[in-house]
Amino acid sequence: MSNLSTSKWTKYRLLRKSEELRAYLPETEWLKESTFWRMLNKYEQVIIKPTGSYGGHGVIRFKKLNASEYELQNGAKKKIFRDQEQVNAFLKKKSGKNYIVQQRIPLATVNGRPFDLRVMVQRHPHSKWQVTGKLAKVAGRGFIVTNIRMSSGKVVSVEHALRHSQLKSMRSGDLLAQLDKVALKSAAKLGPSYRWVKTMGIDMAFDKVGRVWIIEVNYLPMLELFLKLKDKSIFRRIKSFHKK
């Protein structure tokens, strides 16, 4: 088994080494006051999250409202900071606790709720990576995280999400082909550093104009999410691959 860290930060840095994949990665930095303010001023919205957590835990959004007001959203709760000093006091509590700050992607939405995508990429020993299934996770009302348990969101097919989003006028076949291509290239880039991994759950997204993004890669993805789809054959295919 590899000794290389499986943290979000380590996997992000490995993916960034690929010039081709760099275009699909949201800008990400280790959380410090300087990186936080540079990115918030650049993007007006950022996400901060612990680099070792899963399931949406600890994910916080900061939004710049005007020159002196900032909004924090944690789960469905929101809080207003009236100046930079208040924000810096909050950030100080996070410093040294392995947090990253990331450009916030304007995710495509279904009925006003953001969704992202879980793309399963698997392989047999000594064989190429394959996309074995994908689904869309739609955030619960009022939430920014798409984790189903945390936000009381729902799982739908990717095709359903696209048909009910602002991307419905785009060719879904082209969007899905691009999604698969980026997922496979991500697995191919990470695979040599984690040779023990045979299954990856890659969290990806489309933004409001149909651009593909890589959010993060999970090596122990929850397969049971796929049982929530009407088409159970996708779960069976993933599970059979997983067992082998």
Side-chain angles (χ1 to χ4, degrees):
M1 188 174 287
S2 169
N3 291 321
L4 191 65
S5 167
T6 59
S7 74
K8 293 178 175 67
W9 178 242
T10 301
K11 287 179 279 193
Y12 170 81
R13 289 178 67 194
L14 285 169
L15 290 170
R16 263 197 70 82
K17 289 181 179 179
S18 163
E19 191 172 338
E20 187 175 7
L21 290 174
R22 209 172 293 158
Y24 304 105
L25 291 165
E27 185 178 355
T28 304
E29 294 279 4
W30 202 249
L31 179 64
K32 297 184 290 188
E33 271 186 30
S34 58
T35 56
F36 173 87
W37 288 109
R38 181 184 66 77
M39 289 179 64
L40 187 65
N41 288 328
K42 182 177 180 180
Y43 297 110
E44 298 194 334
Q45 291 193 49
V46 295
I47 298 290
I48 66 173
K49 57 187 176 184
T51 185
S53 73
Y54 296 91
H57 295 286
V59 176
I60 296 166
R61 182 197 68 175
F62 267 96
K63 181 179 181 180
K64 186 176 183 178
L65 299 178
N66 54 51
S68 61
E69 287 190 318
Y70 310 91
E71 180 186 82
L72 173 153
Q73 182 168 356
N74 185 357
K77 296 179 181 177
K78 295 181 180 180
K79 179 180 179 180
I80 302 294
F81 292 92
R82 303 295 176 188
D83 55 45
Q84 288 194 13
E85 286 70 26
Q86 288 183 356
V87 177
N88 287 339
F90 176 86
L91 295 176
K92 221 166 249 182
K93 297 174 187 174
K94 303 293 180 188
S95 62
K97 294 186 179 177
N98 296 341
Y99 274 76
I100 53 178
V101 56
Q102 193 169 68
Q103 165 191 1
R104 203 254 170 135
I105 306 303
L107 298 181
T109 58
V110 172
N111 297 324
R113 303 182 191 189
F115 71 90
D116 66 12
L117 313 162
R118 169 63 54 85
V119 182
M120 295 298 297
V121 185
Q122 297 174 284
R123 64 173 175 170
H124 297 303
H126 314 298
S127 71
K128 290 184 177 181
W129 292 99
Q130 299 177 44
V131 174
T132 53
K134 42 187 174 274
L135 55 74
K137 297 174 289 173
V138 183
R141 188 173 299 281
F143 282 79
I144 54 162
V145 295
T146 59
N147 180 266
I148 303 305
R149 287 180 182 168
M150 182 171 290
S151 74
S152 299
K154 63 179 180 179
V155 168
V156 298
S157 71
V158 179
E159 292 80 6
H160 174 94
L162 292 175
R163 280 198 308 270
H164 293 84
S165 75
Q166 52 272 86
L167 308 180
K168 60 190 173 188
S169 63
M170 302 179 73
R171 289 171 58 90
S172 62
D174 293 343
L175 290 170
L176 297 180
Q178 179 74 347
L179 191 73
D180 288 359
K181 176 185 169 186
V182 175
L184 290 168
K185 286 186 179 295
S186 300
K189 182 64 181 175
L190 292 170
S193 298
Y194 302 95
R195 295 188 181 279
W196 51 275
V197 174
K198 302 293 185 290
T199 292
M200 296 186 189
I202 306 181
D203 284 336
M204 305 179 70
F206 291 115
D207 64 19
K208 293 185 191 316
V209 296
R211 180 176 172 183
V212 173
W213 294 90
I214 306 164
I215 298 174
E216 61 186 59
V217 182
N218 303 290
Y219 293 156
L220 292 170
M222 193 171 77
L223 307 183
E224 286 69 29
L225 273 181
F226 286 85
L227 282 173
K228 297 179 181 292
L229 292 174
K230 288 180 182 177
D231 183 358
K232 307 301 180 194
S233 68
I234 299 173
F235 174 77
R236 290 194 294 271
R237 180 167 67 248
I238 293 167
K239 196 75 174 171
S240 67
F241 232 98
H242 196 63
K243 284 177 181 174
K244 291 175 184 176

